[in-house]
Amino acid sequence: MARFDEVKDLILSLEGDFDKFYAKGNQAAGTRVRKGMQDLKTLAQDIRAEVQNKKNTGDA
């Protein structure tokens, strides 16, 4: 569950930048959003691999 908390924390940390980009047109915030979403993608892929490994080894 710690990995899930990491995902939630990352998403919550981006909330302000999403608002700044979409509501106020702040381009720098858009760059931060893109980086955060890339980090989210990487984290999700790591979690996916971890779940697959646990499933395959019977540790689930």
Side-chain angles (χ1 to χ4, degrees):
M1 287 301 290
R3 302 289 279 186
F4 183 69
D5 289 335
E6 286 181 56
V7 171
K8 289 192 306 187
D9 291 343
L10 178 57
I11 290 171
L12 290 174
S13 73
L14 294 173
E15 186 175 12
D17 287 326
F18 268 98
D19 181 55
K20 287 176 187 174
F21 178 71
Y22 285 108
K24 300 172 184 168
N26 183 321
Q27 297 299 311
T31 301
R32 291 189 297 272
V33 166
R34 285 182 31 240
K35 182 190 181 311
M37 295 306 292
Q38 184 63 41
D39 292 344
L40 180 61
K41 178 183 171 187
T42 302
L43 180 57
Q45 187 62 39
D46 290 347
I47 293 170
R48 184 180 180 281
E50 181 181 310
V51 168
Q52 186 68 35
N53 287 337
K54 282 184 178 264
K55 187 180 124 213
N56 289 342
T57 61
D59 291 342

